[in-house]
Amino acid sequence: MEFTEKEEGLVKESWDVLNKDLPLYSLHFFTQILEIAPAAKGMFSFLRDSEQIPQNNPKLKAHALKVFKMTCEAAIQLREKGEVVVSETTLQYLGSVHLRNGVIDPHFEVVKEALLRTVKKGMGEQWSEEMGNAWTRAYDQLASAIKAEMK
Ligand code: HEM
């Protein structure tokens, strides 16, 4: 099914909201990840050794930003080209960094759910099921490209 301009717009609009307060939304995102999968704590260097999720940690913010932004870029590509195109160099890097840190396929579902909850929090009343579906479609395509590289 075609990825429509409307779906692209819904993703971009909510990405703009997240981007305006990355410290807040990246913290929320990781809080959700740990709520869904407490064991994920051990994988992240910046979570491993602390009792609480660190506030304003650059690595934590960098990872949240990458997930939000690359999913938004995936939505744009889906609308423009009908597919998600990540450069081979980027994919190789993402594949190896995740393999090295013990990431496996089911973790991508955890991160997707945390991402959707974060978008929902950011959008409040403006959140809709259609918006959630648009993020889901873009994320799934991006995640399958990364997972394929990890094989
Ligand atoms: C590292 C992106 C999904 C766990 C990284 C890095 C990037 C990245 C770019 C390199 C470090 C950085 O620049 O922050 C993404 C994207 C994802 C995704 C775009 C999905 C679309 C996941 C998932 C997990 C995960 C599902 C597991 C729950 C990690 C870990 C690191 C990492 C543990 C090492 C971070 C550290 O300890 O400093 N990821 N990631 N990522 N990623 Fe992901």
Side-chain angles (χ1 to χ4, degrees), residues 40 43-46 59 62-63 66-67 70-71 93-94 97-98 101 103 107-108 111 139 142-143 146:
M43 281 192 302
F44 291 94
S45 57
F46 45 86
K59 285 188 173 179
H63 193 273
K66 283 287 179 188
V67 173
M70 287 189 74
T71 306
Y93 168 64
L94 288 175
V97 111
H98 290 114
N101 284 281
V103 178
H107 291 135
F108 282 88
V111 163
Y139 177 90
L142 174 62
I146 301 172

Side-chain angles (χ1 to χ4, degrees), residues 14-63:
S14 37
W15 149 246
D16 282 341
V17 170
L18 301 187
N19 194 27
K20 285 206 176 80
D21 197 346
L22 275 175
L24 176 73
Y25 294 114
S26 53
L27 198 64
H28 186 78
F29 176 63
F30 272 95
T31 307
Q32 300 307 310
I33 292 177
L34 293 191
E35 198 177 295
I36 304 165
K41 192 176 191 279
M43 281 192 302
F44 291 94
S45 57
F46 45 86
L47 300 179
R48 249 195 307 270
D49 308 318
S50 52
E51 280 294 311
Q52 283 183 330
I53 302 179
Q55 306 261 338
N56 253 316
N57 179 286
K59 285 188 173 179
L60 181 148
K61 274 192 287 187
H63 193 273

Side-chain angles (χ1 to χ4, degrees), residues 112-129:
K112 175 166 69 181
E113 181 58 30
L115 172 66
L116 290 172
R117 290 186 191 179
T118 305
V119 174
K120 194 168 182 177
K121 178 184 166 70
M123 296 310 286
E125 295 277 280
Q126 282 158 278
W127 189 87
S128 64
E129 205 157 312

